[in-house]
Amino acid sequence: MNDLSVEKQYMKMAIDQAYIAEENGDVPIGCVIVYQDQVIGRAYNQREQLHDPTAHAEIIALTQAAEYIGNWRLHGCTIYVTLEPCPMCAGAMVLGRLDRLVYGTDDPKTGAVKSLYNIVQDDRLNHRLDVTCGVLEDECRKQLQDFFRRRRAENSSQ
């Protein structure tokens, strides 16, 4: 399913999750996983809250999706995330065998789909995902830029 209106609907859900991360003092990244037109995973970054470097939105949502399906193989699933996944998350998507990845904005510092690497489509690996990037890109980018702008202002006033 590549209907842009549907893709935007799910990305808006991921953006809503990112706002929860921000409210909890974490980098605003959100994620949803869809299987057969149903959201089966929904998460936001929780690294600060859980004191866990692996508590990325994607990892938490992948765990929820696998639990829902009852299998670690997530065939038929599409993952929507507000920021280009890092190497850890991109690797987890390959290992989970999701069908598709849809993300909002590129991550020039740690992006592992387009910016620095392309883990999810690497021919040397046993699985590849279809990728759509740039869905609600401006909104996703602005959310992150505003967060880091506020964080820098807070740190400079201390």
Side-chain angles (χ1 to χ4, degrees), residues 71-121:
N71 196 323
W72 61 268
R73 292 173 191 88
L74 299 174
H75 297 293
C77 291
T78 298
I79 188 166
Y80 295 83
V81 63
T82 56
L83 182 66
E84 178 183 2
C86 71
M88 175 183 67
C89 294
M93 290 173 199
V94 170
L95 294 173
R97 293 177 172 76
L98 287 92
D99 287 3
R100 292 187 63 230
L101 161 65
V102 179
Y103 73 87
T105 190
D106 295 339
D107 183 353
K109 296 191 186 227
T110 64
V113 176
K114 176 181 163 188
S115 297
L116 298 179
Y117 311 101
N118 188 354
I119 292 172
V120 300
Q121 294 180 323

Side-chain angles (χ1 to χ4, degrees), residues 26 45-56 59-60 88:
D26 216 319
N45 267 16
Q46 296 181 45
R47 294 178 309 165
E48 298 296 335
Q49 189 176 354
L50 300 177
H51 310 290
D52 180 352
T54 68
H56 289 205
I59 300 299
I60 296 167
M88 175 183 67

Side-chain angles (χ1 to χ4, degrees), residues 129-148:
L129 284 76
D130 291 328
V131 176
T132 302
C133 58
V135 175
L136 298 179
E137 180 176 11
D138 293 340
E139 190 172 343
C140 292
R141 183 185 315 109
K142 184 178 181 333
Q143 184 180 32
L144 285 158
Q145 287 173 337
D146 290 350
F147 172 81
F148 284 113

